Every structure is written in structure tokens, then in C-alpha cells.
Amino acid sequence: YVRYAQNRHPEAERLDREAVRLARGVGDGRSATLGLALRGLGEFLAFTARPVEGAVVLREAVDVLRGAHGRLHPEVAIAELNFVHALTQTDRRADLLEAVAVGRAAYAHVQTLYPEGARLRGDAASRLAQALLRVDSAEAAEPLLREVIALRVRAYGESHLDVAFARDQLGRVQMQRRRFAEAESLFTRAYEARRAALGDRHPGTGASMQMLGRLAYARGDTAAGLPLLLGSAERWEGAGMTRYAATDRQWVAVGAFT
């Protein structure tokens, strides 16, 4: 985890794979120790843009941990949530449908295990909501996203960046459903929180500007959207994140000719 946080990814992966190798030699090779080692490797793969490989490893982690602990156990629930995250990063329909099924189970498990645990309950609701959005079930995802906001406000406070992220997620849903007034309120609050926490020039602040700009376009107000998208592109470029900047500049180019 330390090497991953330091962006020393090759060393982090080597250590995770070594942990799995060693854990396979413990007991009958199906121990809780192996399940945790697999979970660590699967998380690494999923969070470094290898979700298909990560999902394979996390599937085994869930199976091993269920065998060691039963289905209703904190370590199993966390592995299930990470498995859902990996599945939702793929483009395979079967994976996405499995993510919804596992996400529902994990959500129920966390509700039972942590009735007062706002942080983990919020994470479980968020993972299930993302799975539902990937199969175009925005209506089912909406109440979960509202729950995520409420739980994260309770856990972290109104101005926390995880709350801003949750508001962005619900704002996207409402924008797609043409509920523009609520989307604007959600995006604005997320923008204000990010600007206060990260500063005006941070790419995270730019991400909120991007959503406000796209919302303006959706409303037909390209004049309002252009400076927001241009500002977002400048912040991505300032951080060296040119791929994201290019997307914003494409939106700017479209708006300039409408």
C-alpha cells in the first residue's frame, strides 16, 4: 500500500504477487491470509487500469474469504465491494450484470454488519449505484446516490472532497435526466468544496468547472459553457493531464461553432 501511494507501482505489484505466492503455502492454501493477499493484489490491478485481471483475482479473493469466514464477515464485504469496483470498470455486459448482483449482496451485508457505519455504508451504496448506472438504471441509482451524500456528510462533514464527488455523481444523473436546476446546485456545491480544499488551479477544481460547462451546453447556453470548459482544459494542462484537456477543448471547439 505504501509503494502504491508513492506511485512506485512496479514494486507494489511485485510485493503483492509475492504475498499471494507465500500465502498459498499457508495451511491448505485456502486460508484467510490468502484471501487478504489476493484482495490486495486485485485492488492494485483494478486501481491501475487493469480491471479485467483485477476482477479475476478479486473473484478468487471473495471465494477464499467466504470459505474462511462465511458470507457475513467484514473482510468478505470489503472484498465484495472491491470486486464490484473492478467489474464496473470493464465493458463486458456479463461483468456489469454480475457487478449489480454482487453489489446488492455487498450492500445488504454492510447494512447488517455496520448499521451505524456511515463511511462503509456510503461506500457500499456508491459501488452499487455505479454498477446500476453502468447498466443504464439511473432511476434505481438515484436514491442510492442521495444516500451516499447523506452518509458521507454524516461521516466527514459538508465540505469533504468525498461529499463533493458524491454530489458530482448525482449531478451527472440529474443532468442526463434534464433536471437541470438540481444538477446545477449539486455541481456548484461540489465546485465550491473543491476550490476551497484544493485551490483554484487544481485539476480537481477544473473537473467541477467541466461539469458546470457541460451543464450549460445541455441547457443550450454555450456562451456560459465556453469559459468554464476552457478553464477546465487549462487546469488539466497545468497538471500535465493532456488527455482530459483534449476532451474539454473538443467541447470548446463544438461550442464555438454553435
Side-chain angles (χ1 to χ4, degrees):
Y1 284 112
V2 172
R3 293 296 180 259
Y4 174 78
Q6 293 171 334
N7 286 320
R8 295 165 65 176
H9 291 175
E11 186 177 359
E13 182 173 358
R14 180 184 64 77
L15 290 167
D16 278 338
R17 291 190 183 278
E18 179 67 6
V20 170
R21 185 188 71 78
L22 292 171
R24 288 196 189 280
V26 175
D28 62 358
R30 301 286 291 175
S31 66
T33 300
L34 174 61
L36 293 176
L38 287 164
R39 194 181 79 190
L41 175 59
E43 288 172 2
F44 171 84
L45 294 168
F47 283 96
T48 53
R50 285 182 280 174
V52 174
E53 189 179 355
V56 171
V57 175
L58 285 164
R59 186 191 303 280
E60 184 181 0
V62 169
D63 182 55
V64 170
L65 288 168
R66 284 175 176 171
H69 297 303
R71 286 183 173 267
L72 195 62
H73 188 277
E75 299 294 359
V76 175
I78 293 170
E80 288 172 338
L81 292 177
N82 289 326
F83 184 34
V84 171
H85 171 76
L87 290 170
T88 56
Q89 305 310 304
T90 76
D91 292 320
R92 301 189 300 202
R93 181 73 177 176
D95 285 347
L96 300 177
L97 292 173
E98 185 176 10
V100 172
V102 177
R104 291 189 190 281
Y107 176 77
H109 293 162
V110 169
Q111 295 280 336
T112 301
L113 289 164
Y114 301 99
E116 301 301 323
R119 183 181 66 82
L120 272 173
R121 287 175 57 207
D123 290 347
S126 178
R127 294 286 167 84
L128 176 54
Q130 291 311 303
L132 289 165
L133 290 172
R134 292 285 276 128
V135 295
D136 301 319
S137 295
E139 185 173 350
E142 181 184 341
L144 287 164
L145 291 171
R146 294 190 188 281
E147 181 182 356
V148 173
I149 293 171
L151 288 167
R152 288 184 174 169
V153 167
R154 197 171 97 197
Y156 305 123
E158 284 280 354
S159 60
H160 196 277
L161 292 176
D162 281 353
V163 177
F165 179 73
R167 286 191 169 118
D168 262 353
Q169 290 180 311
L170 180 57
R172 289 170 186 262
V173 169
Q174 300 304 66
M175 180 170 67
Q176 292 169 357
R177 301 175 80 184
R178 303 189 67 79
R179 297 176 179 176
F180 295 142
E182 184 180 8
E184 181 177 18
S185 174
L186 290 160
F187 289 149
T188 299
R189 294 182 74 178
Y191 167 71
E192 290 170 349
R194 288 189 171 121
R195 185 175 60 178
L198 303 172
D200 183 65
R201 303 301 300 176
H202 193 278
T205 306
S208 282
M209 295 175 70
Q210 178 192 77
M211 296 316 303
L212 286 165
R214 292 187 181 185
L215 175 62
Y217 271 39
R219 283 174 149 168
D221 189 354
T222 54
L226 280 169
L228 289 163
L229 289 165
L230 186 59
S232 175
E234 290 170 350
R235 284 157 178 79
W236 291 125
E237 288 163 350
M241 303 169 80
T242 55
R243 181 167 63 93
Y244 297 103
T247 300
D248 283 340
R249 290 198 178 277
Q250 288 174 351
W251 280 78
V252 169
V254 169
F257 289 99
T258 58

